[in-house]
Amino acid sequence: MNLNQMKKRFFGFSSIFLLLLTTNIVGISQVEDQVLDWDQNQKQFVPKKIPRDDLNLKSTSQYVLENFSIHSQFEKDPILLEQVFGNRKLLTLGYQLQKIESRFHHIYKQAGFKNSKTSSNEKIIIRVDAPFVYSPLLYYDPKVKLKNTALTIPPSEKQGQWNNEMWFAPKWDFPIVDRFVFDRIIDTAACPDAIYHEYTHLITGKYLGNNAIGRSLAEGISDYYAASMIDYPELYSHKTCEGVKRQLLVSSFRLDREIGFYDSNMESDFKKNFTFIPSILWKYRSVVGKELADLTIFQAITKTNVGDRFFPEFTNTLSNSLYLESKKQFGEERAKELVNQVETEIWIPKGVFTNYGFQKSVFSLFPKKNLRLTNADAKTFEFCQNQNEFEFFWQDVNVNDPTLRFYWKCDQVKLPMLIQFDQSNSRNYLVSKDLHSLNGKMKFASPNACNPDVSRTGMDEKLYLQICNYARENYFYWKTMEKEMRLSWNDPSDSFEKRQFVLEFAYLGNAKNKFKYQFESN
């Protein structure tokens, strides 16, 4: 090979190298910054270009926003911006965090909060691709991996160790069967609806308690606000998160589908029915409108105590908030109309009610005083010669505590007992043509009621133990020390006639006349 040929070949290789290098440099400088944002016409999140100024960055080198510091895994320092620009997942995360924050900032102002800042003074740590599960003691557990989920962790019990944080787990792909698995394969940091859901936990944690995360009320509220943000009732599908595959065996999560009746078992474990609360709140939104629904639900959150249930505490607080806010905006007449519409169209058809629907419940019919009725068990008069009656405290029975407490008064002795009415189906509390009874269980007020070793000052202990043992042998099952009871009533023939209630053993057997008491409604 002569010198000229070598020069030509070297020039050719050099030209190709320079061309590739120039193309790469131009590609980097012209990289597009895109986020996923909601398209109301297409009803899904779609990519859109975003100017870097719209990210409101507070650092020239790291991924730090006004109220958020975004980190990779468990790194101490935030992600470098050179890794963020051009990365749609990371850009979407920061953009959508500020979007949901802005929405709650608006709601705070509507609610009249002087300080409309929704987060603490310290920046909230956001972790992307957090590899391990949260540990209340260790911060994270390196033995258990975290996949396909997102979570909001509570502050450390030891002050100063860590505050509220949001963790987005890495996506766990199965290369062959990822389209056919039973669970979603999802990169939550790239899913705006998951981001909205987790941010709402930061808000509700202030009022419902940080340990409320995982309970139905907190989870349902987070799902509601996620759907309300996009004004669309479908969540965690390929429409709201491109990371969710079109999996054949995973149905979409929609809030506008028909739901069943309230079941108290869902209160402690949202997995038993995770759609009921967000779906019924979505129906509430369809009646009162987005702005009023978002505002009054938030107002109800701020007035809800740690440990409160969806029914009856939260629903009652929400109806009160709706009445007060609509009265302020529209006047008292419209407020009453709106509250009554929600009661009759939303709450009662699903088996719940509030103070505004109290008149439709059996609790409105109970006597507002204690009743003294002569003991129906004739055999007890052998040892109760001067006084032998039951004193029922009906005025204390209510939806929050559907328990009838009463005394068996025998001469100078009082034996405390109670009947706990069934709370699993709140529809039974509503007066209707189809339901005419409440079931419950009678028991001693104290598990040591008949213990002879317990001292009972100022009481005839011999007589007390006699009536206690009689009740145990004749009124209760030996194994459970309980007895099934039934409270039944009939519809009056006209509006002026009072209902007649009967309280008796649910299964009479040989005890037909031993415990049967009748009384009139309020």
Side-chain angles (χ1 to χ4, degrees):
M1 183 183 295
N2 59 36
L3 183 62
N4 288 332
Q5 288 177 323
M6 291 179 64
K7 287 182 177 178
K8 288 180 180 179
R9 182 166 291 186
F10 176 77
F11 179 78
F13 283 133
S14 300
S15 299
I16 293 171
F17 175 75
L18 289 173
L19 177 62
L20 292 173
L21 180 63
T22 304
T23 303
N24 189 44
I25 292 172
V26 171
I28 293 174
S29 63
Q30 293 181 350
V31 65
E32 283 189 348
D33 291 327
Q34 290 186 340
V35 298
L36 290 172
D37 206 14
W38 185 253
D39 186 302
Q40 197 62 43
N41 294 323
Q42 297 184 52
K43 302 296 183 187
Q44 67 181 45
F45 283 98
V46 298
K48 81 168 186 180
K49 295 180 182 179
I50 180 174
R52 291 180 181 176
D53 289 343
D54 287 0
L55 292 173
N56 300 312
L57 294 168
K58 300 303 176 184
S59 171
T60 58
S61 60
Q62 296 176 321
Y63 203 4
V64 178
L65 308 175
E66 182 175 357
N67 294 312
F68 306 100
S69 180
I70 303 177
H71 302 240
S72 176
Q73 299 190 359
F74 294 118
E75 294 291 330
K76 180 180 178 181
D77 297 323
I79 300 172
L80 296 176
L81 287 180
E82 62 189 46
Q83 300 172 21
V84 175
F85 297 138
N87 186 316
R88 191 164 72 189
K89 179 175 95 170
L90 294 177
L91 291 171
T92 296
L93 176 59
Y95 178 79
Q96 296 295 352
L97 278 171
Q98 294 181 101
K99 198 168 185 179
I100 182 67
E101 180 187 46
S102 176
R103 176 60 184 164
F104 273 103
H105 178 86
H106 173 69
I107 295 172
Y108 266 60
K109 290 179 67 176
Q110 282 185 308
F113 279 55
K114 292 182 179 180
N115 179 13
S116 57
K117 187 178 176 64
T118 58
S119 58
S120 62
N121 293 327
E122 296 184 12
K123 293 186 186 298
I124 298 169
I125 301 293
I126 312 296
R127 298 201 176 277
V128 182
D129 297 330
F132 303 114
V133 300
Y134 165 70
S135 168
L137 297 177
L138 305 174
Y139 185 53
Y140 66 86
D141 185 349
K143 297 179 181 179
V144 185
K145 291 185 177 181
L146 190 67
K147 296 288 184 180
N148 301 322
T149 189
L151 67 156
T152 301
I153 71 165
S156 169
E157 293 182 1
K158 294 182 179 180
Q159 190 173 3
Q161 288 195 347
W162 65 83
N163 292 316
N164 278 116
E165 295 185 7
M166 291 168 60
W167 294 4
F168 295 90
K171 176 182 175 182
W172 194 356
D173 254 331
F174 298 93
I176 298 176
V177 297
D178 63 347
R179 292 179 182 270
F180 303 99
V181 293
F182 287 91
D183 201 4
R184 288 180 173 83
I185 304 302
I186 181 172
D187 192 349
T188 51
C191 299
D193 50 357
I195 296 168
Y196 298 157
H197 176 105
E198 294 306 323
Y199 182 86
T200 305
H201 278 312
L202 292 176
I203 302 298
T204 57
K206 297 179 183 179
Y207 306 101
L208 307 182
N210 288 302
N211 292 328
I213 297 171
R215 286 179 49 225
S216 290
L217 181 55
E219 296 298 330
I221 289 172
S222 282
D223 284 335
Y224 165 78
Y225 277 111
S228 190
M229 273 293 292
I230 59 178
D231 198 24
Y232 190 65
E234 184 174 4
L235 295 173
Y236 319 127
S237 73
H238 64 277
K239 292 182 180 180
T240 60
C241 177
E242 65 173 5
V244 175
K245 305 295 184 184
R246 293 175 181 269
Q247 294 152 283
L248 299 180
L249 301 178
V250 178
S251 60
S252 61
F253 177 28
R254 295 192 64 99
L255 307 187
D256 58 349
R257 289 178 176 162
E258 186 58 35
I259 55 175
F261 297 99
Y262 169 81
D263 182 347
S264 62
N265 291 321
M266 73 179 69
E267 296 282 4
S268 57
D269 185 0
F270 80 99
K271 292 181 181 179
K272 291 182 178 178
N273 189 341
F274 58 85
T275 61
F276 182 86
I277 292 177
S279 297
I280 201 170
L281 291 178
W282 188 261
K283 291 180 182 295
Y284 171 80
R285 182 184 189 268
S286 68
V287 171
V288 306
K290 173 183 177 177
E291 290 298 323
L292 192 55
D294 284 3
L295 174 58
T296 52
I297 290 172
F298 171 73
Q299 289 172 330
I301 292 169
T302 64
K303 297 172 184 175
T304 298
N305 299 315
V306 174
D308 281 357
R309 299 159 293 182
F310 177 73
F311 172 77
E313 291 90 354
F314 184 79
T315 49
N316 199 51
T317 305
L318 179 55
S319 282
N320 287 335
S321 296
L322 175 62
Y323 173 76
L324 293 173
E325 186 61 34
S326 28
K327 180 182 177 182
K328 182 171 69 175
Q329 293 188 23
F330 314 120
E332 185 171 11
E333 184 176 350
R334 176 55 182 154
K336 289 180 178 178
E337 291 175 356
L338 204 52
V339 167
N340 184 64
Q341 184 180 0
V342 169
E343 196 76 24
T344 56
E345 295 181 12
I346 307 297
W347 302 138
I348 289 178
K350 296 306 173 186
V352 299
F353 58 93
T354 73
N355 285 343
Y356 296 95
F358 178 75
Q359 294 303 320
K360 297 181 176 65
S361 76
V362 68
F363 299 104
S364 67
L365 304 176
F366 290 159
K368 303 304 179 187
K369 60 183 180 179
N370 57 327
L371 294 180
R372 293 183 175 183
L373 302 175
T374 302
N375 195 328
D377 187 350
K379 194 172 183 178
T380 61
F381 284 89
E382 295 177 4
F383 44 86
C384 298
Q385 298 177 356
N386 298 319
Q387 183 185 33
N388 190 10
E389 64 184 14
F390 284 98
E391 184 174 14
F392 298 97
F393 297 92
W394 281 106
Q395 70 273 26
D396 297 328
V397 184
N398 57 69
V399 64
N400 294 323
D401 183 16
T403 303
L404 172 62
R405 293 170 175 83
F406 61 98
Y407 284 124
W408 177 6
K409 290 186 173 182
C410 175
D411 294 342
Q412 301 302 314
V413 170
K414 293 193 300 185
L415 176 63
M417 304 168 75
L418 56 85
I419 297 173
Q420 289 181 330
F421 292 111
D422 181 24
Q423 300 183 63
S424 62
N425 190 346
S426 57
R427 283 178 290 161
N428 291 343
Y429 296 158
L430 296 167
V431 178
S432 71
K433 294 180 179 179
D434 300 322
L435 297 170
H436 294 86
S437 66
L438 273 181
N439 293 325
K441 289 186 177 180
M442 183 169 72
K443 59 184 71 176
F444 291 118
S446 169
N448 295 316
C450 298
N451 188 340
D453 297 328
V454 175
S455 177
R456 300 172 182 88
T457 307
M459 187 179 296
D460 184 340
E461 291 203 24
K462 182 179 179 181
L463 179 58
Y464 174 87
L465 290 174
Q466 185 177 6
I467 67 170
C468 192
N469 288 324
Y470 181 88
R472 184 172 61 179
E473 294 170 4
N474 292 273
Y475 299 161
F476 298 106
Y477 298 125
W478 271 97
K479 288 185 177 181
T480 62
M481 280 294 104
E482 295 179 348
K483 185 76 169 182
E484 285 84 0
M485 307 296 295
R486 179 176 293 116
L487 175 69
S488 57
W489 59 89
N490 296 318
D491 290 329
S493 56
D494 60 64
S495 57
F496 298 101
E497 184 180 348
K498 291 186 176 182
R499 280 183 172 82
Q500 297 295 317
F501 285 90
V502 177
L503 180 65
E504 61 186 339
F505 292 146
Y507 308 106
L508 299 178
N510 295 326
K512 184 175 182 181
N513 297 315
K514 286 188 175 181
F515 198 100
K516 184 175 182 179
Y517 300 95
Q518 299 182 13
F519 58 94
E520 290 184 340
S521 61
N522 181 39

